[in-house]
Amino acid sequence: MWDEPYLETCCRAALHRVVLAGAAARPADSKDAACLARLGARGLVATRADGRCVATDAGMIQHAALVMRAGPG
């Protein structure tokens, strides 16, 4: 049974950019702001007091499962 939330390609890419940004975080007002808002609504990213987005623990798990998963073979 499929129990993982579906993320559009653009949102998966935005989550990957948030993870790559690490502690520096990603500005919430960047070009992928709509995706960051969707990710935030799902609890995958959080917006810090300075307005920058960081991955939550749930976001790191989703990143590992959806973005970094190994391909076939």
Side-chain angles (χ1 to χ4, degrees):
M1 173 183 243
W2 182 264
D3 60 357
E4 293 179 2
Y6 177 74
L7 290 179
E8 295 288 340
T9 303
C10 58
C11 292
R12 287 193 307 267
L15 179 59
H16 186 59
R17 287 189 291 271
V18 167
V19 170
L20 289 176
R26 183 132 176 93
D29 61 353
S30 61
K31 288 187 178 188
D32 55 4
C35 289
L36 294 174
R38 282 192 289 277
L39 293 169
R42 290 183 178 211
L44 302 177
V45 300
T47 304
R48 299 188 315 201
D50 63 0
R52 297 179 76 84
C53 295
V54 294
T56 62
D57 290 340
M60 294 300 288
I61 291 168
Q62 283 294 338
H63 181 263
L66 298 175
V67 179
M68 299 304 294
R69 67 177 168 205

